[in-house]
Amino acid sequence: MNADVLLANLPALLIAVPLFGAFLTPVIGRFLSSIRDAWVILASFVSSLVAILLAAQVYAKGTIVYVFGAAPGVGTIPADSGGIPIRILFTIDGFGALMLISAAIVSFAVILYLTLSQSKRSYRSEFYALYLLLTAGIFGMVSTGDMFNFFVFLEINSLAASALIAYHRNGGLAAEGALKYLIVNTVGALMILFAIGLLYAQYNSLNMAVIASQLTLTSLNILALVLFIAGLGTKAGAVPFHFATPDAYSVAPSGITALMIVASQAGLYGMFRILFSVYGHVFTSETVGWVVIILGVLSMFIGVTMAIPQKDIKRLLSYHAVSQTGYMLLGVGVALAVLGDIALTDAFGRMAMEGGLFHIINHAMYKGLLFLAVGAVIYRTGVWNLNEMGGLGHKMKWTMIFFLIGALAIAGIPPFNGFASKLMIYESTFAFNPAIAVIAMVVSILTLASFMKVFHSVFMGPQLPEYEKVREVPKRMLAGMAILAFFVVAFGLVPDLVVNTLVAPAADALLNQGQYIASVLGGGL
Amino acid sequence: MIANLPFIAVAVLIGIGFAMVLLKRNMIKMIMGLGILEAAVNLFLVSLGYREGGIAPIFTSAPEGVEMVMPTVQALTLTNIVIGVATTALMLSFVMLIYKKYGTVNANEMRRLKE
């Protein structure tokens, strides 16, 4: 076992490490409960490290195609298989690497926070095991190149997430939110499985690249596309599939909600992967692009208008999550609408796409930070209602600073990261259709207004007598927030660098469908 | 016509399943609707792999010149059944928690999260 073998098998370790950590956590919790927290943090750290190393390899060497169960040197298409990749493949290109980085950072920051914020609850071993399973589900979804494999990881993701929502339950509310989330996601997943069946019936393969290379625009394939968009839109929590998202996000423990943001973005990953890498070359009209744009605009607008009147602080943030998903759909939808036209793609399509993808990783950072900061407030005060809070800034200075960073980032104020990606989306959509850009800016202003209200009613004002004994949260919870705050500020200070090194390869990977197919069918390795 | 019968059954089952999930207010019945939906998708997958007169897909004992049914979709169906069991169990345990708290399984009578 030397380092080369480990490096060559990173895609397998990506799934194996969190699974191994998850299955050992209850055992360690039973016999060596004193080191359980350390073990969970270690397992999460190693799996994040594997994900980041893998992403670094992708950025250095290009798409990685990993064949499960094959001896070293066997290509993706064995000689005796008749030209069909028969094994399960992991295909990690620039887009997958971007999602891996965002999932890795958030999952590690959140476990630091969770091991303290849940420390007074019971049955924590199984809770952390489910957390690691959720991480494995996200990693699997964003790196697999096999349709059915994708479905299985999607189900792992949904099951682990809904179990976590209701785990440390808050009366019957948590079970109610989790049940809604699970029912909606199961219907979505079954639609996706039906669509996979439709594609398999025609092309006799489950491999995305093989299907993509043979795909034509028949009516069955259009039906499959509709089912894919609906099912993955449900997972991503975009309007009109958003009913379960606010209920589920607002009742889950705050750390879990931060990771569920990334889990829902894995649904967005799936949608963009299907739209660009599988269906990309058959679109000649703007129709599908417009469908995605309209979904995005509706999500943005309905999300933010529903958020403004909310009293429950986590429910307010959850509606903002729906709203921010709209920006990503908008950016990528504009790129999809001009996909067939190379001149327009170069003029603004690529920039819209980069803005949308950049917003994915930015949203994971700042919305995670906001949920952790709000969770810290709830951890100390036990109050969820905005009207009952006030004056907490006197005692919880660091939490206040972190919340402010997140709030300014989500509202798109420079120099934080939300500004960088939103500016790219504004500029490119303005070139595409000025009306949409205006809507996007109005939504941003409403977001800013809403967060100023929250900030004011939670942290500002005179110190209230009932919060006399409130103290700052422990250092490890602050460390989790600090990691995310660091990336929020860093991405905002050097957006060009981040876009060029991280986001541009992801946009290339999506726009260049031929490359994706060739990387798998060309023998791989 | 007779060859398309499984697909017609799939369409009917999907219709029944969706209607149950959307229209029923009893949460147990909603979960049963999801079970029917899942059964429909499973039936769809299995009937995709069916070959007229095909034999079991075991290469070593296969006689010459006989078609086999497709094994991949059967493996997929099996996986989906296992996932379905896990999902249903989890959903039923949520319903149990809700029943303990509110004393009802009717979705309308639950305390609304929205308030």
Side-chain angles (χ1 to χ4, degrees):
Chain A
M1 280 299 263
N2 52 26
D4 286 345
V5 176
L6 282 180
L7 277 180
N9 290 307
L10 277 180
L13 288 176
L14 186 68
I15 304 305
V17 169
L19 283 185
F20 180 72
F23 292 132
L24 230 54
T25 307
V27 179
I28 289 180
R30 185 160 186 88
F31 296 108
L32 299 160
S33 54
S34 51
I35 63 164
R36 188 222 13 245
D37 286 5
W39 164 260
V40 176
I41 292 173
L42 178 75
S44 180
F45 176 72
V46 174
S47 50
S48 295
L49 189 71
V50 169
I52 297 220
L53 279 178
L54 188 58
Q57 270 197 346
V58 173
Y59 285 124
K61 287 194 249 166
T63 309
I64 291 180
V65 180
Y66 183 82
V67 189
F68 273 90
V74 177
T76 52
I77 304 175
D80 56 355
S81 72
I84 305 168
I86 48 169
R87 291 194 172 91
I88 287 177
L89 304 181
F90 264 23
T91 314
I92 306 156
D93 59 3
F95 186 30
L98 181 76
M99 301 298 293
L100 278 179
I101 289 177
S102 107
I105 294 169
V106 175
S107 70
F108 179 63
V110 169
I111 198 75
L112 283 180
Y113 177 95
L114 270 182
T115 45
L116 267 174
S117 75
Q118 303 304 111
S119 59
K120 293 193 190 77
R121 309 276 198 152
S122 53
Y123 295 106
R124 295 194 311 282
S125 306
E126 292 80 2
F127 181 79
Y128 298 141
L130 280 169
Y131 181 88
L132 289 169
L133 277 181
L134 179 56
T135 317
I138 298 170
F139 283 165
M141 272 176 85
V142 301
S143 45
T144 186
D146 181 278
M147 291 265 187
F148 192 74
N149 213 231
F150 181 82
F151 166 76
V152 172
F153 282 119
L154 179 80
E155 284 284 12
I156 293 177
N157 188 330
S158 300
L159 280 172
S162 55
L164 283 169
I165 294 167
Y167 200 90
H168 288 143
R169 59 183 190 278
N170 168 21
L173 284 183
E176 194 184 328
L179 181 67
K180 268 188 193 169
Y181 181 84
L182 190 55
I183 287 181
V184 170
N185 271 304
T186 307
V187 173
L190 286 175
M191 285 198 268
I192 292 167
L193 184 61
F194 192 78
I196 292 171
L198 284 175
L199 291 183
Y200 182 78
Q202 299 171 73
Y203 304 109
N204 280 325
S205 178
L206 291 167
N207 189 290
M208 291 185 195
V210 174
I211 294 174
S213 68
Q214 299 170 4
L215 198 82
T216 51
L217 204 58
T218 61
S219 52
L220 271 184
N221 288 344
I222 294 173
L223 177 63
L225 180 67
V226 171
L227 290 171
F228 272 127
I229 291 181
L232 292 164
T234 313
K235 181 74 205 164
V239 172
F241 316 107
H242 69 291
F243 358 79
T245 337
D247 292 349
Y249 285 10
S250 54
V251 293
S254 300
I256 295 304
T257 320
L259 190 65
M260 275 174 61
I261 296 289
V262 185
S264 71
Q265 286 173 349
L268 275 186
Y269 165 89
M271 191 196 285
F272 297 160
R273 175 66 75 207
I274 298 285
L275 282 172
F276 285 92
S277 297
V278 177
Y279 278 80
H281 69 100
V282 296
F283 296 139
T284 46
S285 68
E286 295 181 354
T287 320
V288 182
W290 270 104
V291 169
V292 178
I293 292 171
I294 289 169
L295 286 184
V297 172
L298 282 178
S299 302
M300 272 182 347
F301 202 73
I302 294 178
V304 83
T305 44
M306 294 290 281
I308 288 172
Q310 299 298 327
K311 298 277 181 293
D312 179 334
I313 185 163
K314 281 182 73 181
R315 203 169 168 79
L316 186 144
L317 284 180
S318 312
Y319 274 112
H320 278 297
V322 174
S323 164
Q324 298 297 311
T325 307
Y327 281 95
M328 304 157 203
L329 287 171
L330 174 61
V332 178
V334 168
L336 189 64
V338 296
L339 188 62
D341 192 328
I342 294 168
L344 287 181
T345 301
D346 284 342
F348 57 83
R350 167 179 295 272
M351 189 181 186
M353 169 91 106
E354 286 175 358
L357 299 181
F358 193 21
H359 207 66
I360 290 184
I361 190 164
N362 288 346
H363 182 237
M365 302 299 148
Y366 62 65
K367 189 47 79 60
L369 177 63
L370 283 171
F371 270 117
L372 295 189
V374 163
V377 170
I378 296 172
Y379 177 74
R380 279 301 186 213
T381 61
V383 172
W384 304 54
N385 192 323
L386 273 175
N387 296 347
E388 294 169 20
M389 295 181 183
L392 289 165
H394 298 282
K395 293 292 178 85
M396 303 178 78
K397 288 209 170 50
W398 283 102
T399 309
M400 179 176 76
I401 292 170
F402 289 139
F403 185 88
L404 189 61
I405 291 174
L408 292 176
I410 195 175
I413 304 291
F416 300 104
N417 62 2
F419 172 72
S421 50
K422 279 186 179 177
L423 186 66
M424 291 170 82
I425 295 174
Y426 297 152
E427 279 186 27
S428 49
T429 42
F430 193 79
F432 177 71
N433 186 332
I436 297 176
V438 171
I439 296 176
M441 285 178 212
V442 169
V443 169
S444 255
I445 294 165
L446 291 176
T447 310
L448 179 64
S450 158
F451 271 93
M452 282 307 105
K453 183 190 96 177
V454 174
F455 183 71
H456 195 268
S457 56
V458 176
F459 293 106
M460 291 289 121
Q463 199 170 346
L464 295 180
E466 60 263 43
Y467 302 130
E468 196 71 30
K469 294 204 182 79
V470 167
R471 284 173 294 127
E472 185 56 273
V473 290
K475 286 207 177 59
R476 217 195 296 155
M477 283 169 79
L478 287 177
M481 289 186 244
I483 292 175
L484 293 178
F486 169 77
F487 284 102
V488 170
V489 176
F491 284 0
L493 289 178
V494 284
D496 290 347
L497 187 71
V498 179
V499 169
N500 290 336
T501 52
L502 296 182
V503 183
D508 283 339
L510 281 183
L511 289 173
N512 200 340
Q513 187 200 14
Q515 203 182 350
Y516 181 81
I517 298 173
S519 66
V520 176
L521 296 186
L525 282 189
Chain B
M1 180 62 200
I2 201 81
N4 284 330
L5 208 55
F7 298 107
I8 296 168
V10 167
V12 171
L13 284 176
I14 285 185
I16 294 174
F18 255 114
M20 276 180 83
V21 174
L22 294 177
L23 301 178
K24 291 287 175 191
R25 296 290 73 177
N26 184 326
M27 282 183 286
I28 304 274
K29 287 186 182 165
M30 285 167 84
I31 294 171
M32 285 163 75
L34 271 179
I36 292 175
L37 204 58
E38 191 201 315
V41 176
N42 284 342
L43 178 63
F44 176 65
L45 288 177
V46 167
S47 39
L48 286 180
Y50 180 72
R51 293 283 176 273
E52 190 79 46
I55 59 161
I58 303 166
F59 269 101
T60 44
S61 59
E64 282 291 316
V66 181
E67 233 184 331
M68 297 175 184
V69 297
M70 291 182 79
T72 320
V73 278
Q74 297 183 1
L76 304 191
T77 309
L78 209 54
T79 315
N80 192 36
I81 289 172
V82 175
I83 292 173
V85 169
T87 318
T88 313
L90 192 59
M91 282 193 286
L92 287 175
S93 51
F94 289 148
V95 173
M96 215 175 72
L97 287 174
I98 290 172
Y99 185 74
K100 269 188 183 166
K101 187 71 190 169
Y102 301 124
T104 175
V105 288
N106 189 321
N108 287 340
E109 288 171 20
M110 287 190 310
R111 189 177 140 216
R112 300 294 300 265
L113 268 172
K114 295 185 183 71
E115 309 206 10

